[in-house]
């Protein structure tokens, strides 16, 4: 079986993750959708690395993982700060910046 | 070439739990299914000749990131309900349409590429390390700076400064006397009454009930009884 099948799988996971970001109001679930999209991109990188027979793609996926870890730390800290300020993690509530 | 059976197993244990992002009601269930997705992706990396990344995926994602999500869920309250009111009319259908559009676009693009399969090169740790600390060493240093910035940023964001100075026990007692409040602690409920329970007020030396000895919470919940109700609940012979 051609490894390109994993790229299709990555596309499906990316679509599911983006749907979660657009649909869910709970900030933590939307954030998990972002994580799923990052992981789908990683899967595509690793699959292409396998197809081309070079490991540079895996190094890129490793970098993405490090950036995702930093992003999770800051994102969850923001969620906690917002929760402290307004006792909610709904994405619709903090609407003070709306025009 | 990759094992076809492995691909289908991985596809099932990634796509089906990932759908819980859209359909599960409780955030904890979503988090646990995403853990399963991460394990499936680790298996995919190993199938795709990237054993080092497979192990890193398990350690970083299932071990650290998703557990961090669970911690935050505990902090903000597991039972918090999601409100399903639509702030923007028709947002749900637009979102589903947009996500399906992205998926169809990606899949149609992938279907149009033809790639020749090269000989696999296994991503062993030493091979990866050779690249990381050879051509990509500047990126590694930038990532180190990024991680430190993120850690400090998280500390700053979650730090709550104390706005008022901390009171000592002596200051609290002195301020009580100053405003004329009772300088001693309130009596425990029920201590001198014949019914030693939390819902009965204590009695002062003259036999009058001290209302403030009962917890305010019990009063709000209407779980206290006053003297008349208590007397009525006694058997006939014990009433005075």
């Amino acid at each position: 079986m051609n490894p390109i099948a994993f790229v299709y799988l990555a596309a499906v996971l990316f679509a599911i993750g983006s749907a979660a970001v657009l649909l869910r109001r709970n900030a933590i679930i939307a954030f998990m959708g972002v994580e799923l999209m990052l992981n789908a991109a990683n899967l595509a990188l690793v699959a292409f690395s396998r197809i081309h027979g070079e490991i540079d793609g895996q190094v890129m996926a490793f970098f993405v993982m490090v950036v995702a870890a930093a992003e999770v730390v800051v994102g969850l800290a923001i969620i906690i700060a917002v929760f402290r300020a307004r006792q909610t993690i709904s994405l619709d509530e903090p609407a003070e910046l709306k025009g | 070439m990759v094992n076809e059976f492995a691909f289908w197993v991985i596809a099932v244990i990634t796509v089906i739990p990932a759908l819980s992002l859209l359909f599960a009601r409780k955030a904890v269930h979503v988090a646990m299914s995403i853990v399963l997705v991460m394990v499936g992706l680790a298996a995919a990396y190993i199938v795709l000749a990237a054993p080092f990344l497979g192990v890193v995926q398990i350690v970083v994602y299932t071990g650290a990131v998703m557990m961090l999500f669970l911690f935050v869920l505990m902090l903000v309250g597991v039972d918090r309900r999601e409100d399903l009111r639509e702030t923007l009319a028709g947002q749900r259908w637009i979102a589903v349409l947009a996500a399906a559009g992205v998926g169809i676009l990606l899949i149609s693009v992938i279907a149009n590429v033809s790639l020749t399969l090269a000989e696999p090169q296994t991503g062993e740790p030493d091979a990866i390390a050779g690249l990381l600390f050879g051509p990509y060493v500047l990126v590694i240093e930038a990532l180190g700076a990024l991680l430190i910035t993120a850690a400090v940023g998280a500390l700053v964001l979650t730090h709550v400064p104390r706005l008022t100075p901390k009171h000592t026990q002596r200051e609290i007692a002195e301020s009580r006397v100053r405003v004329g409040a009772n300088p001693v602690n309130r009596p425990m409920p029920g201590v001198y009454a014949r019914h030693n329970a939390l819902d009965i007020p204590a009695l002062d030396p003259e036999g009058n009930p001290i209302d403030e000895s009962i917890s305010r919470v019990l009063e709000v919940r209407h779980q206290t009884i006053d003297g008349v109700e208590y007397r009525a609940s006694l058997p006939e012979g014990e009433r005075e």
Side-chain angles (χ1 to χ4, degrees), chain A residues 1 8 19-20 22 24-26 31 35 39 42 50-51 53 56 58 60 63 65 68 73 80 84 87 92, chain B residues 1-2 21-22 24 38 45 49-50 57 61 80 82 85 87 91 111 118-119 121 123 136 143 154 158 160:
Chain A
M1 189 176 208
Y8 286 108
L22 292 174
R24 301 302 292 248
R25 306 290 164 74
N26 186 327
F31 202 32
E35 285 304 304
N39 272 285
N42 266 353
R50 168 70 182 78
I51 291 169
D56 286 69
Q58 297 178 23
M60 296 296 164
F63 292 153
M65 277 183 193
V73 168
I80 288 187
R84 274 217 193 106
Q87 305 298 312
D92 279 343
Chain B
M1 291 294 116
V2 292
L21 269 174
L22 307 179
M38 299 303 177
Y45 295 164
Q57 170 83 8
Y61 273 102
R80 198 154 286 277
E82 190 176 7
R85 280 177 292 119
T87 348
Q91 188 211 355
E119 273 302 299
Q121 194 182 356
Y136 292 106
L143 285 182
T158 53
V160 183

Side-chain angles (χ1 to χ4, degrees), chain B residues 75-238:
Chain B
L75 276 180
V76 301
V78 170
D79 293 331
R80 198 154 286 277
R81 290 218 161 244
E82 190 176 7
D83 65 332
L84 296 169
R85 280 177 292 119
E86 285 201 331
T87 348
L88 307 171
Q91 188 211 355
R92 193 166 300 159
W93 299 113
I94 297 172
V96 169
L97 216 66
V102 167
I104 291 168
L105 176 72
L106 287 174
I107 287 175
S108 59
V109 168
I110 298 164
N112 279 325
V113 240
S114 61
L115 291 166
T116 48
L117 193 58
E119 273 302 299
Q121 194 182 356
T122 312
E124 300 285 352
D126 49 354
I128 302 257
L131 270 185
L132 279 183
F133 295 101
Y136 292 106
V137 69
L138 263 182
V139 187
I140 279 284
E141 286 177 10
L143 285 182
L146 174 76
L147 279 178
I148 290 183
T149 317
V152 174
L155 282 179
V156 170
L157 278 172
T158 53
H159 177 249
V160 183
R162 176 174 280 281
L163 295 175
T164 53
K166 203 173 179 182
H167 293 294
T168 62
Q169 209 171 2
R170 182 182 186 88
E171 284 169 354
I172 294 172
E174 280 170 354
S175 65
R176 268 189 188 170
V177 172
R178 203 179 309 129
V179 299
N182 198 348
V184 295
N185 287 337
R186 287 180 300 176
M188 297 294 286
V191 174
Y192 293 112
R194 53 186 295 176
H195 179 111
N196 194 4
L198 288 176
D199 57 345
I200 301 286
L203 298 180
D204 66 4
E206 291 155 6
N208 301 315
I210 309 170
D211 284 332
E212 59 180 9
S213 65
I214 299 183
S215 163
R216 206 159 40 89
V217 177
L218 291 179
E219 276 169 34
V220 170
R221 290 191 195 151
H222 303 293
Q223 288 178 334
T224 59
I225 55 175
D226 62 13
V228 178
E229 284 171 302
Y230 179 63
R231 198 164 292 139
S233 72
L234 288 176
E236 197 67 42
E238 287 186 33

Side-chain angles (χ1 to χ4, degrees), chain A:
Chain A
M1 189 176 208
N2 198 316
I4 198 85
F6 280 98
V7 186
Y8 286 108
L9 179 61
V12 171
L13 290 177
F14 190 91
I16 293 176
S18 63
V21 173
L22 292 174
L23 279 174
R24 301 302 292 248
R25 306 290 164 74
N26 186 327
I28 294 183
I29 297 182
F31 202 32
M32 284 194 248
V34 176
E35 285 304 304
L36 189 66
M37 288 161 79
L38 280 167
N39 272 285
N42 266 353
L43 181 60
L45 281 173
V46 175
F48 282 128
S49 138
R50 168 70 182 78
I51 291 169
H52 290 293
E54 287 172 16
I55 55 174
D56 286 69
Q58 297 178 23
V59 174
M60 296 296 164
F62 183 76
F63 292 153
V64 172
M65 277 183 193
V66 177
V67 174
E71 175 235 344
V72 163
V73 168
V74 175
L76 288 178
I78 291 174
I79 289 177
I80 288 187
V82 170
F83 177 74
R84 274 217 193 106
R86 18 183 101 240
Q87 305 298 312
T88 179
I89 52 169
S90 173
L91 288 175
D92 279 343
E93 291 290 329
E96 269 165 23
L97 288 180
K98 73 181 171 189

